[in-house]
Amino acid sequence: MNAARAILGVLLGDLRRSPGAALGTVAAMAAGVSVFVAIHLAGSAARSSFVSAVEAVAGHATHEVEAPGGVPEERFADLATLPGIEAAQPLIEGRAVLQAVVHAGQSTAAHAPPLRVLGIDPFFVGRFLNDGGRTPLVPGDAVARFLTEPGAVVLPKAWADTAGAREGDTLVVAAAGRPFKLRIMSVYEMQALGEATRDTAVADLATAQELFDLSGRLTRVDLIVQEGREDSVRTALAPGERLERPAQRGDRVAKMIEAFRLNLLALGMLAMVVGALLIYNAAQFSVVRRTGLLGQLRCLGVTRPMLLGAVLGEIVLFGVVGGVLGLCAGVALAQVLIKPIAQTVTDLYRFVRVDVAPLEPLEGVLVVLAAAAVAGAAGFFPALDAARTQPKMVGLRSHGEAVFKSRLPRLVLLGVVWIALALAASAAPVEGRWPGFVASFALLGAGAALMPAAMALLLPVVQRQSERRGLLALALSSGALHRSLTRTGGAAAALGVALAMTIGVIVMVHSFEREVRNWIQTAIRADVFIGDAYEYTSRENARVPAEAVEIARNAPGIRAIDTLRAVEVPYGGRSIRFTGVELPTLESRARFDFLVGRADEALDAALKGGAIISEPLANNYGLKVGDTLEVPGRGSGGVARFKIAGIFRDFTYDRGYALTGKDAFIAAFGDPGVTNVAAYVEPGADREQIAESLRKTFEGRFLLNVRSNAELRAGIIDVFEHTFAVTYLLQVIATVMALCGAAITLFGLFLERAREIATLRALGATIAGVGRLFAAESLLMACFPILLALPLGALLAWVLIHVVNLRSFGWSIGYDWPWGQVLATCALAACASLLATLVPLALAKRQSISAALREE
Amino acid sequence: MSETAPAASPSAVPLIRCRGLERAYGTASARTVALAGVDLDVVKGERIAMVGPSGSGKSTLLHLIGAMDAPDKGGVVVAGRDLARFDDAAAARFRREEIGFVFQFFNLVPTLSSLDNVALPARLAGKGASEAQAAAQKLLDRVGLGNRAADFPDALSGGQQQRVAVARALVNEPQIVLADEPTGALDRRTGEEILALLGEVVRERGATLLMATHSDAAVSIATRLLSVEDGRITEDRALTPITAPIKEHA
Ligand SMILES: Nc1ncnc2c1ncn2[C@@H]1O[C@H](COP(=O)(O)OP(=O)(O)OP(=O)(O)O)[C@@H](O)[C@H]1O
Ligand SMILES: [Mg+2]
């Protein structure tokens, strides 16, 4: 024990002499850990915000009854009195957005997070609250006012503080496409509903119905069903109604972002691969660098196990320090990631307001342990080699490198195995997204394994050729890189993998964007679009008020309008979008790009009660033309049936959507109100002008978003770009990390060779000559990864497009290779690598030759 | 000021002329004086052995003459050129054209073969690879390592590495060879071999040798002996009267 401590002391003392190496090792590990932690935190925050919101409001409910378009109000009494029901409560749920606060007659514009409004019946709610109703939601003496005063709400204190509102004030909020006034009856802590409901206000059922324009309907009915009576309740349901557990709804909601989250996670894990490579590289080098010292220790009589223990102990210590630092950096990084992630989820799925949850202590410990384990694993083999070899041989650093080089055939073999795995996975007849991810990982693994081997093979060739051609700097630098292959190989592999990921994603996004831009030309045909101003926030409660629809229909210059009604319906354990339209004009019919089915026939069939479905829906569920789409609705047995007449391209809903005629839609789901209006102008009329005049007409009365064709197209591209913002951000992080790894490696190489460089200068090399040497070395360090990344990135893009995108989102995209962007990325990497030489070069310039030569 | 007068011969213009060289290291509070005023004239063809206790300033003097360090005071003129006027490029050019350096620890570039190590200064001077390698091969043959041209430094013994270094120092046919304890890392016999070799090749080429050493054997190849102590030349003595001017000093 004392001996081991003594050896560890020697090792650490050596580090004190060359703190650069230790710093590099720890920094690399911290970088690797931080990315993982950040993505983990940000990704799970988005999911948990979905699930906890559902669970918190569900309280003690064992079941809930829902129906597309809402449960008719009069059904509540029937459901509540069914045998086997212990308790029931009617519920309205929706989101409103604060516009202004009116205090003492004075209205001030105000901002606060969107307010979730729950419409409840105070007489029924108690049983469902988490504390069993001991804390009344509405103070006893206020119940009468709560019930009778129109617009009365009870607000959570935290939200009211943010909004700057007090008891007695009036809130002007946007809901169902118009402004609505709510009176703050009381403000207090909402412990009864739990933390996840910090943005939840409570109103009387009637108030909430009016607020969300849901006259006569309920969002759902919560039930407490006696054990084992579920089936009898189920048989008593009306057509279209469905009984499920709150967890199922939470699950369905969470599944909505499943593909998104999985992609995020995959990206995060790819970034982690880069991190792990950096850790591995740092740990391995830390051992190889000191084989000389280790050899001396062996000569001094240190036994093998002792040496192995000390070396591993040290590297694991590094892992722990790096892990802890990475943890802190990761938590900070998560704060940066969370905003774009929440924005994307809101854009694509439904509103989320997300804060990064603090890291669980246990998770933190696990992460640090994992970092230490990766470091230990990386250091193990070199340490074992050091411990195994004859003391004299260990003394040579070149021996460590030689051992590493003797392993190269094994690395090549590993690379080949990875490639085989990638091929097998992408060809596998397995459904879902796993094959794509496995294939991507395997490709990157192959790249990482083959990089050092390729360098071992090619660097001597480069050296010989450049020597022959008199390219001295290149000859010297390729020799230097080759000599330190343990380090340069790993760093180059990390950079290559990161660049390949970046190129793969660039190609995928570019191909995708080109496809979307093309699609927009066909799909966005109407001249003016009208929607709820808070469409993305309110989602299911988004509405264009009936009055506004009529105004638009009769507005001068408008030839025809198409109304669009939409509901979310459960399908296959998830949720899909169902839309009802009128298709009154030729343009409205021409906007569909049919992949299967003849346009006119398919559209006529859809208007007559059939349906057409989007490509993701068809691909995700294996639906074909001629199949019948069955969803909960007001048909026989509570099922609405639509014969599929065509499949069209669509890039708006990754979970897929179906479209039918307005009448069939209302027959199946009731009339939830118009969600969007598409207007077509008279020939020769100015769209922008008409949009502007509609905006003027609506001002003050409605809160609607009026967009011209061009604006909507731009908006879609915007959302598209938002969506990939996170992807790009992760790419940038991974690439910057890898570049830092390469820079640290180069930096270490240069520092270590201070003496060699001084010798060169003593032999007559100028500073400019040394600069050329550094430049050649750093360019080589970038070149190998770039050469690896180009083919690997191309393959990765192919997998992302043909395996991941098609299988996990159901989108078919043509492969399009953006040379400009790809080359710019490579050039950027090369430039960054060049920049990394500036500091060592400045140091070399300042370093006195005489002093450097003295050091020994 | 040093009591040592410059050893000038009326017939020979000195190749190296040092005047009042001072060099100190460290901060004001912890100052180490390495050279405390050195005047030295060296005539072409001299082979000087410089002895003195460790830390007396021998290496410092060699570095100053080799334009690898700059004096705090005083100046060095080599072949009529004032080193103080050199910028980095001129100093580098001077080092590769006028100076050959042999180090105690060989300092071969580990990624280059013996041949390429020897050829390196020629390549740095802008010679083509084949021309440089031809010259290098000749020198390797001369130092007895013609058959080890393809080997890398880590495959050579210390003595062999130093032979390669000697060859490297001569490849650009410098006027001056500076050697800092060229035998310091070698055993006695090998050291003597290297010294003999160094003396021979320098004489063959008519070059001037300035060597710091602890080895008694160095005297056998030298024409002049300098003793250095505490940053001053305390003794300056001719060893063979043929080529070196004589200057006795008490
Ligand atoms: N870079 C430096 N920083 C501080 N002191 C230095 C530096 N270089 C040299 N010295 C000091 O200057 C003095 C002269 O050193 P120098 O290397 O010239 O001696 P030397 O005669 O070559 O000794 P040795 O025989 O041990 O090689 C010594 O005291 C040394 O410690
Ligand atoms: Mg010395």
Side-chain angles (χ1 to χ4, degrees), chain A residues 848 850-852 854, chain B residues 23-26 30 32-35 52-63 69 104 180-181 212-214 228:
Chain A
S848 119
S850 154
R854 272 172 211 278
Chain B
R23 182 75 170 100
Y25 296 99
T32 318
V33 176
L35 288 182
S54 183
S56 55
K58 304 181 295 291
S59 298
T60 306
L61 181 58
L62 289 180
H63 289 163
D69 195 6
Q104 178 176 2
D180 195 351
E181 300 183 35
T213 182
H214 289 294
V228 184

Side-chain angles (χ1 to χ4, degrees), chain B residues 50 61 70 74 128 140 187 193 210 216 230 245:
Chain B
M50 195 166 25
L61 181 58
L140 275 182
D187 66 71
E193 280 171 26
L210 196 57
D216 301 336
D230 293 334

Side-chain angles (χ1 to χ4, degrees), chain B residues 178-192:
Chain B
L178 302 175
D180 195 351
E181 300 183 35
T183 61
L186 301 172
D187 66 71
R188 195 185 164 83
R189 245 196 65 194
T190 317
E192 282 168 12

Side-chain angles (χ1 to χ4, degrees), chain A residues 341-351 536 539 652 718-720 722-723:
Chain A
I341 288 178
Q343 177 67 51
T344 303
V345 171
T346 299
D347 281 350
L348 296 185
Y349 307 99
R350 58 168 57 188
F351 177 83
Y536 289 130
R539 287 288 164 186
T652 44
D718 253 15
V719 169
F720 179 87
H722 269 152
T723 306

Side-chain angles (χ1 to χ4, degrees), chain A residues 50-282:
Chain A
F50 271 22
V51 176
S52 65
V54 169
E55 279 166 2
V57 177
H60 284 187
T62 61
H63 290 78
E64 43 192 48
V65 174
E66 272 193 276
V71 179
E73 203 172 30
E74 57 278 10
R75 288 281 300 148
F76 173 67
D78 303 343
L79 288 167
T81 53
L82 283 176
I85 300 285
E86 249 171 48
Q89 73 158 330
L91 215 75
I92 300 277
E93 189 183 335
R95 244 173 240 285
V97 180
L98 181 67
Q99 305 288 303
V101 175
V102 186
H103 177 70
Q106 195 73 23
S107 172
T108 15
H111 296 280
L115 185 65
R116 172 156 61 175
V117 181
L118 275 188
I120 54 142
D121 189 322
F123 296 113
F124 296 107
V125 75
R127 280 291 310 274
F128 290 86
L129 293 178
N130 281 337
D131 69 349
R134 277 188 296 281
T135 327
L137 264 183
V138 183
D141 52 344
V143 173
R145 272 174 60 211
F146 183 76
L147 288 177
T148 52
E149 248 181 61
V153 285
V154 178
L155 278 187
K157 180 156 185 329
W159 190 92
D161 289 346
T162 324
R166 270 168 288 164
E167 206 172 305
D169 290 354
T170 297
L171 301 176
V172 181
V173 297
R178 77 240 192 279
F180 192 89
K181 286 195 175 119
L182 294 174
R183 294 224 340 106
I184 307 176
M185 210 189 66
S186 69
V187 170
Y188 68 116
E189 320 279 343
M190 306 277 283
Q191 276 127 348
L193 289 178
E195 173 56 26
T197 56
R198 63 195 162 167
D199 298 337
T200 303
V202 177
D204 169 50
L205 212 54
T207 297
Q209 278 177 332
E210 206 189 332
L211 173 66
F212 295 119
D213 190 18
L214 285 172
S215 60
R217 277 170 297 154
L218 302 171
T219 307
R220 62 173 189 272
V221 175
D222 281 356
L223 300 174
I224 298 177
V225 179
Q226 281 166 7
E227 203 81 44
R229 303 297 292 271
E230 195 182 319
D231 288 335
S232 71
V233 175
R234 196 168 302 244
T235 52
L237 294 177
E241 287 174 356
R242 63 180 182 277
L243 180 73
E244 57 187 9
R245 296 182 176 276
Q248 277 173 291
R249 181 162 60 95
D251 204 39
R252 212 171 51 237
V253 170
K255 265 191 182 146
M256 214 150 79
I257 63 160
E258 188 182 49
F260 173 78
R261 218 170 65 89
L262 203 65
N263 271 19
L264 203 65
L265 199 71
L267 276 169
M269 277 161 73
L270 293 181
M272 253 174 58
V273 171
V274 175
L277 274 173
L278 287 182
I279 296 180
Y280 193 88
N281 192 31

